[in-house]
Amino acid sequence: MTKALAGVRVLDMTHVQSGPSCTQILAWLGADVIKLEAPTGDITRQQLRDLPDVDSLYFTMLNCNKRSITLNLKSERGKEIFVDLVRNSDVLVENFAPGAIDRMGFTWERLQELHPGLIFASIKGFGPGRYENFKAYEVVAQAMGGAMSTTGFEDGPPTATGAQIGDSGTGIHLVAGILAALFQRTQTGKGQRVTVAMQEAVLNLTRVKLRDQQRLTHGPLREYPNDYFDGEVPRSGNASGGGQPGWALRCAPGGPNDYIYVIVQPPGWAPIAELIGKPELAEDPDWATPAARLDKLDKMFALIEQWTEQHTKFEVMDKLNALNVPCGPIMSTAELIADETLAELGAVVEVEHPQRGTFKTVGCPIKLSDSPVEVRTSPGLGEHNSAIYGSLGISEGELDDLKTAGVI
């Protein structure tokens, strides 16, 4: 079956997480993604290794479905080969520090000369301006994009989220930009520059907090559990931050992730009251309406928690869903990786690897009816040098010479 991005060649100069998360999705969607690495390889091949001398899970889980070539761009021959690679690619993706590609001699203007149809996509920490040349990492982006100041409990410090919204969150934003540029190229024939800043990607994901910052000018945020507002959106623990109150409630047997998140919508209060053995609260004027409950949400959730603590989180999930009450058990990483439903959906997949046997990774979250995704293992370092450089007319003899000279 033809893949959605069949025929699109992506020259992948990314490393670590933000860039590779983007190019892996492009590969899953059918693009021929050629990962260009220095002869020493992407640093994540060696980081956080669980097996000696085997590519780490950090690398394998971000580089499935790609092909790998090695090239030393500090050498003159390496730069000549890079020119041929650019001319034979549709998209070039990089996430180096600002100016790194320019210093290699490949400014956007130069790349346009080499290939007017090229889409040149980049991830940077920050946009042009004061922060432009600052280093950015996952939690730095969370800190400067508004996520950390609004995550955690009121009496605690700013907290990072476990979801990698700075790195992989930026990667998926770049996917959208690349696909838009590819579509526009079908109409104009021209390539273009696509950039996403990590700070701005996190900010985009934190927009509801900017909504609430502006609402503060008209008074306190009543759906928040906080007593005080000092001119900025506070950390509000597990409050939903939306129009319907929600909280994480303890469940049996009381382990660190034995919780369920419960949202109380207006139609849900009466069935919840019945379920927890307090049916009279459905008619009690002090409890019957959302307005009446708003100033005692802590007491409301404490009542519900007295009931949830007597059941496991999955038992609570089944009982509440039978009443059409929105809820979700807090699923640990161990539970997620072993979940049968997620396996059946292809959300968690097992992949064969030539050295480690198998490993589990996330599947493609984007489902296309006519372009199903088969997750294949990450490539070995330089595994596809012969095939790709051979297609550029470089002989096996020259490849041997280039390897000896440290060019590949």
Side-chain angles (χ1 to χ4, degrees):
M1 185 177 289
T2 302
K3 301 294 185 181
L5 295 182
V8 174
R9 175 167 284 189
V10 178
L11 187 56
D12 178 8
M13 297 179 71
T14 68
H15 58 289
V16 194
Q17 183 181 167
S18 62
S21 68
C22 164
T23 52
Q24 179 169 257
I25 287 179
L26 296 176
W28 281 341
L29 297 178
D32 178 17
V33 176
I34 299 171
K35 186 174 180 68
L36 191 157
E37 303 178 67
T40 52
D42 185 327
I43 191 173
T44 57
R45 287 185 183 269
Q46 302 176 41
Q47 285 184 330
L48 305 177
R49 272 180 168 157
D50 56 323
L51 294 172
D53 302 320
V54 176
D55 286 339
S56 71
L57 289 167
Y58 194 5
F59 179 84
T60 64
M61 294 177 71
L62 284 160
N63 291 283
C64 290
N65 293 53
K66 302 178 185 179
R67 298 198 285 171
S68 169
I69 58 174
T70 52
L71 189 65
N72 180 0
L73 280 167
K74 295 179 180 179
S75 67
E76 286 307 311
R77 181 62 178 131
K79 290 179 180 179
E80 293 171 358
I81 294 172
F82 181 71
V83 167
D84 285 341
L85 289 168
V86 167
R87 286 174 170 155
N88 284 274
S89 299
D90 298 286
V91 184
L92 170 61
V93 190
E94 61 90 19
N95 64 332
F96 292 117
I101 296 291
D102 292 359
R103 290 190 292 274
M104 294 177 192
F106 295 98
T107 63
W108 170 226
E109 291 73 23
R110 172 64 175 146
L111 292 170
Q112 283 180 298
E113 291 173 0
L114 295 173
H115 185 355
L118 182 72
I119 292 159
F120 180 26
S122 300
I123 287 175
K124 300 301 172 202
F126 308 96
R130 179 183 175 188
Y131 313 128
E132 182 174 3
N133 293 313
F134 291 4
K135 286 186 175 181
Y137 293 88
E138 168 65 45
V139 184
V140 171
Q142 289 192 32
M144 295 185 68
M148 287 185 69
S149 70
T150 55
T151 302
F153 285 84
E154 187 174 25
D155 57 354
T159 305
T161 175
Q164 304 287 282
I165 60 175
D167 277 326
S168 289
T170 304
I172 194 67
H173 280 80
L174 191 65
V175 169
I178 290 169
L179 295 181
L182 282 169
F183 178 76
Q184 188 170 9
R185 193 180 69 172
T186 65
Q187 304 169 66
T188 65
K190 293 173 56 180
Q192 61 184 297
R193 193 85 166 84
V194 180
T195 58
V196 178
M198 294 171 68
Q199 181 188 31
E200 294 175 46
V202 172
L203 184 62
N204 183 46
L205 298 174
T206 317
R207 70 177 70 184
V208 297
K209 301 302 182 181
L210 294 190
R211 172 202 68 191
D212 292 345
Q213 177 63 39
Q214 295 170 89
R215 291 173 60 224
L216 270 176
T217 61
H218 303 289
L221 306 172
R222 296 190 64 204
E223 75 282 1
Y224 278 59
N226 308 69
D227 293 325
Y228 302 102
F229 297 87
D230 191 21
E232 56 191 25
V233 176
R235 291 184 283 284
S236 55
N238 288 314
S240 69
Q244 312 295 337
W247 203 255
L249 306 179
R250 287 187 294 268
C251 298
N257 287 302
D258 287 323
Y259 285 80
I260 188 165
Y261 197 86
V262 178
I263 295 174
V264 180
Q265 297 175 313
W269 176 241
I272 289 174
E274 179 76 26
L275 183 67
I276 67 175
K278 305 282 185 180
E280 68 278 6
L281 297 183
E283 302 297 333
D284 186 331
D286 288 336
W287 291 90
T289 66
R293 297 189 295 271
L294 194 56
D295 63 352
K296 47 180 172 286
L297 293 178
D298 55 342
K299 295 181 178 65
M300 178 188 75
F301 284 116
L303 285 172
I304 301 172
E305 191 171 63
Q306 290 175 11
W307 176 80
T308 62
E309 285 179 311
Q310 302 172 43
H311 308 276
T312 71
K313 59 190 178 185
F314 292 107
E315 290 171 344
V316 174
M317 176 184 69
D318 289 338
K319 291 177 184 294
L320 289 180
N321 271 284
L323 300 175
N324 203 29
V325 173
C327 65
I330 309 305
M331 296 186 70
S332 71
T333 50
E335 289 169 328
L336 289 167
I337 208 165
D339 189 85
E340 292 181 2
T341 298
L342 292 176
E344 291 168 0
L345 291 170
V348 176
V349 296
E350 191 167 73
V351 180
E352 293 288 337
H353 187 274
Q355 292 172 296
R356 63 170 56 249
T358 62
F359 66 94
K360 286 190 176 182
T361 188
V362 294
C364 184
I366 303 168
K367 314 294 186 185
L368 279 67
S369 62
D370 291 346
S371 186
V373 173
E374 177 189 356
V375 179
R376 302 189 305 275
T377 194
S378 56
L381 180 62
E383 179 180 343
H384 302 95
N385 279 350
S386 293
I388 292 168
Y389 289 139
S391 71
L392 298 180
I394 300 176
S395 68
E396 287 292 337
E398 185 180 358
L399 285 177
D400 291 338
D401 293 340
L402 292 173
K403 186 172 183 179
T404 300
V407 176
I408 62 172

